[in-house]
Amino acid sequence: QSALTQPASVSGSPGQSITISCTGTSSDVGGYNYVSWYQQHPGKAPKLMIYEVRNRPSGVSNRFSGSKSGNTASLTISGLQAEDEADYYCSSYTSSNTLGVFGGGTKVTVL
Amino acid sequence: EVQLVQSGAEVKKPGESLKISCKGSGYSFTTNWIGWVRQMPGKGLEWMGIIYPGDSDTRYSPSFQGQVTISADKSISTAYLQWSTLKASDTAMYYCARQGPYSSSWGYWGQGTLVTVSS
């Protein structure tokens, strides 16, 4: 299945806000409210940051927020911090299969 | 505490077989889907397949169907990913993950198993 489309990289200065987009189709992102976001630091396993488009798991900073409009979901990181530098992946339920689909990943750099 | 502990790194030759494991603890192993995710060097995450240990219902991504076998032994709370004939292109980090605790998200991950296939 085709991956969801994310920008390869996004950067920002400490304290700024950045937004990562995740574009799919009406068969995945646009058709269901089952979009998740994962953070992955180098050499580490992915960590769930957002589920069901906009919900934060317990323990995740409220600087992370999610939203969706049409076929595009977004992850916003406000008050950017050095520790936020990582790769971020979106994921969505898809009608094509029961596994879901990942985005290609976005590298966030804190300048 | 939910934990997924994966087996250690492997170095294999092309053509060899391999089975890696993922042991779950701290939850009911039989009532939660477990998935396997491939991450090739410097690349993104890819779903390989998932298994429901309670009844061994297994689903594969079309890209991996026929290339790997996913199984589970609920008596020891362990899921497996195996190859019968490894290729150099199987060199990657492999993660297991457990679905939950929120609907369709995957909130629990193993530490990863690095598989290196080289002659």
Side-chain angles (χ1 to χ4, degrees):
Chain A
Q1 69 276 20
S2 300
L4 306 175
T5 301
Q6 299 180 232
S9 62
V10 173
S11 61
S13 299
Q16 287 187 329
S17 293
I18 61 169
T19 297
I20 303 167
S21 62
C22 170
T23 301
T25 69
S26 58
S27 296
D28 39 63
V29 174
Y32 308 92
N33 287 324
Y34 289 124
V35 176
S36 302
W37 289 89
Y38 299 86
Q39 176 193 64
Q40 186 181 34
H41 285 109
K44 299 295 186 181
K47 175 187 176 183
L48 179 66
M49 303 300 284
I50 295 287
Y51 68 97
E52 291 176 4
V53 176
R54 63 184 70 253
N55 297 304
R56 280 187 310 276
S58 174
V60 172
S61 170
N62 58 10
R63 297 185 298 103
F64 292 85
S65 61
S67 63
K68 189 183 84 168
S69 177
N71 295 336
T72 299
S74 299
L75 174 70
T76 297
I77 309 174
S78 58
L80 199 61
Q81 299 180 1
E83 68 205 51
D84 300 332
E85 188 162 289
D87 293 324
Y88 292 83
Y89 295 89
C90 63
S91 177
S92 174
Y93 174 85
T94 172
S95 58
S96 303
N97 65 70
T98 53
L99 276 66
V101 59
F102 282 112
T106 298
K107 181 177 181 58
V108 168
T109 301
V110 181
L111 302 172
Chain B
E1 178 193 10
V2 174
Q3 282 194 313
L4 296 173
V5 179
Q6 297 185 229
S7 50
E10 301 273 3
V11 179
K12 292 288 191 178
K13 290 181 166 48
E16 292 185 331
S17 62
L18 175 66
K19 191 174 189 177
I20 63 175
S21 66
C22 170
K23 182 173 178 59
S25 63
Y27 72 98
S28 174
F29 184 75
T30 56
T31 57
N32 294 273
W33 288 90
I34 287 203
W36 286 96
V37 174
R38 181 177 78 174
Q39 187 168 39
M40 299 179 75
K43 301 299 185 182
L45 306 173
E46 303 173 85
W47 280 114
M48 301 177 72
I50 58 176
I51 186 166
Y52 190 78
D55 60 8
S56 293
D57 183 5
T58 308
R59 322 275 176 90
Y60 292 94
S61 164
S63 302
F64 293 93
Q65 179 82 49
Q67 307 304 308
V68 297
T69 301
I70 293 170
S71 61
D73 184 341
K74 55 188 179 184
S75 70
I76 54 172
S77 300
T78 301
Y80 300 98
L81 175 65
Q82 68 180 87
W83 296 259
S84 58
T85 307
L86 285 162
K87 298 174 283 191
S89 58
D90 292 317
T91 294
M93 181 70 81
Y94 293 88
Y95 292 101
C96 66
R98 199 212 88 175
Q99 193 173 57
Y102 315 101
S103 60
S104 65
S105 62
W106 298 78
Y108 306 99
W109 292 72
Q111 82 277 20
T113 295
L114 180 62
V115 173
T116 304
V117 184
S118 175
S119 54

